[in-house]
Amino acid sequence: MAKQSQCARSVLMVRPVAFHANPQTLDSNSFMKADLGLSDDEQQAAAASEFEGLVAVLRDAGVEVIIFEDTSAPGTPDSIFPNNWVSFHEDGTAVLYPMMAVNRRTERRMDIIESLSADFGFRVTSIVDLTRHEAEEKFLESTGSLVLDRRNRVAYACISPRTHIDVLGDFAQQLDYDIVTFDALDREDEPIYHTNVVMAHGDGVVVICTDTIRDEEQKAAVLDTLAQHDQEVVEITYPQMEKFAGNMLELENRDGEKVLAMSQRALDSLTPQQLERLGKHAKIVAAPIGVIEDSAGGSVRCMLAEIFLPKQDD
């Protein structure tokens, strides 16, 4: 099987219309702030502004951003994070994923997938639907739960209430991926909800907070696999991870140049040495999205669903 690209040239984003902290995700996401002192309307207004700021930064860097509008009903406060319900692959496959929060399941929208074909010229040849696992209370929240090395077909995943081993096995079988699982714990010894806040996998460089992996055999397995595939590892600390330094995404712009997108909070947490190492791989761009990060407990990577689908004329 031919190796895939690691960095997408196009990303899907969903413009929020009713963004606010989601009470159904608070128990499993320690990155959310319980009380922001903002009304729902104030959170929506701030998130809408931050959303447009990130779009502008990405487009200025030459990345294609395809925006879809959220729907006002039935109410999806986390729709700004489309990377949790779908992933797109170079062979034309779209994958739909089982999600833990009931009010997030309506974020899955076939009209978006259909529009990518009808309006934007992408080719969807098959849909893999993993959502049946919701009936068994087993979840896998797409590239939140999975950090993918697409070139080498390796999926890294930390086990949590949102990432179940049985669904990982189903994904691995249907998408032909090897799985590297581990337990990642926060400073309160609770499972970290998504793998993509612990690590980010780019083209030749990986950012990871290995301090979260307390089991030495698991940590060695992760690092050994990365070494086998010649990935430069940039370690981050707990405080940096808590500022979403692990939640970044490497993309490719229209000129074929690499772009590393992150939040301003994440950027500000990194040391000059870390920035120098990352800067050798990609141009770093950042946008301030503090209300989104505090309200919803996710950052820039969560807002971007990579589109690897082939074009219809390819």
Side-chain angles (χ1 to χ4, degrees):
M1 184 175 293
K3 287 192 174 183
Q4 292 193 33
S5 303
Q6 181 62 28
C7 301
R9 286 196 170 191
S10 304
V11 292
L12 180 159
M13 297 182 67
V14 176
R15 180 180 282 119
V17 298
F19 173 89
H20 61 83
N22 186 353
Q24 292 190 23
T25 61
L26 183 60
D27 285 348
S28 62
N29 184 347
S30 62
F31 290 78
M32 294 174 65
K33 303 294 189 292
D35 184 9
L36 293 176
L38 298 175
S39 68
D40 287 357
D41 287 345
E42 289 170 331
Q43 290 178 63
Q44 163 59 26
S49 176
E50 292 175 351
F51 177 92
E52 299 302 339
L54 177 58
V55 170
V57 164
L58 292 172
R59 286 179 170 167
D60 286 347
V63 176
E64 181 182 28
V65 179
I66 297 174
I67 299 174
F68 289 90
E69 303 293 331
D70 189 14
T71 56
S72 57
T76 50
D78 284 325
S79 64
I80 202 169
F81 299 143
N83 87 306
N84 292 151
W85 65 264
V86 67
S87 66
F88 300 106
H89 302 264
E90 279 190 356
D91 64 354
T93 300
V95 185
L96 301 175
Y97 292 87
M99 304 176 75
M100 183 176 179
V102 173
N103 69 358
R104 295 208 62 190
R105 297 172 189 175
T106 50
E107 294 174 28
R108 296 190 294 253
R109 289 171 50 188
M110 286 305 299
D111 65 300
I112 288 179
I113 296 175
E114 291 164 0
S115 178
L116 288 175
S117 293
D119 302 319
F120 297 97
F122 292 100
R123 180 157 45 92
V124 178
T125 57
S126 65
I127 294 178
V128 173
D129 189 347
L130 302 177
T131 63
R132 66 186 178 280
H133 292 282
E134 287 171 351
E136 301 174 335
E137 297 292 306
K138 297 175 181 178
F139 313 110
L140 186 70
E141 297 189 338
S142 187
T143 51
S145 294
L146 300 163
V147 170
L148 300 179
D149 176 354
R150 291 176 182 259
R151 285 194 187 281
N152 298 294
R153 307 192 77 81
V154 179
Y156 298 86
C158 62
I159 303 302
S160 78
R162 303 199 197 184
T163 304
H164 195 281
I165 192 70
D166 287 351
V167 197
L168 279 168
D170 196 354
F171 169 88
Q173 184 175 31
Q174 297 206 52
L175 275 294
D176 190 28
Y177 268 76
D178 293 325
I179 303 292
V180 177
T181 62
F182 55 95
D183 298 303
L185 303 176
D186 64 19
R187 289 201 268 190
E188 304 301 319
D189 295 329
E190 293 296 326
I192 294 173
Y193 79 111
H194 273 165
T195 316
N196 75 357
V197 294
V198 174
M199 67 182 296
H201 199 299
D203 190 4
V205 63
V206 171
V207 174
I208 183 169
C209 182
T210 57
D211 288 345
T212 63
I213 310 174
R214 311 286 179 77
D215 185 291
E216 292 301 323
E217 290 186 5
Q218 292 182 354
K219 184 183 301 187
V222 171
L223 293 175
D224 287 349
T225 305
L226 293 172
Q228 288 170 21
H229 297 300
D230 298 320
Q231 305 300 318
E232 179 180 359
V233 174
V234 177
E235 299 248 14
I236 57 173
T237 64
Y238 263 114
Q240 290 174 321
M241 182 197 69
E242 290 160 355
K243 294 179 180 177
F244 293 102
N247 196 249
M248 57 181 72
L249 181 64
E250 188 175 354
L251 301 163
E252 191 171 295
N253 69 12
R254 56 179 169 263
D255 298 319
E257 300 165 336
K258 296 302 193 314
V259 175
L260 185 60
M262 65 186 73
S263 73
Q264 189 64 47
R265 179 180 292 175
L267 178 64
D268 292 343
S269 77
L270 296 172
T271 67
Q273 293 78 15
Q274 289 169 325
L275 290 170
E276 180 181 8
R277 293 176 66 191
L278 292 172
K280 292 177 181 178
H281 293 269
K283 175 185 177 181
I284 297 172
V285 299
I289 57 166
V291 171
I292 293 172
E293 290 174 323
D294 289 342
S295 293
S299 190
V300 164
R301 195 276 169 268
C302 302
M303 296 171 67
L304 308 176
E306 304 139 284
I307 304 174
F308 285 94
L309 298 170
K311 287 287 192 174
Q312 291 174 7
D313 54 3
D314 288 350

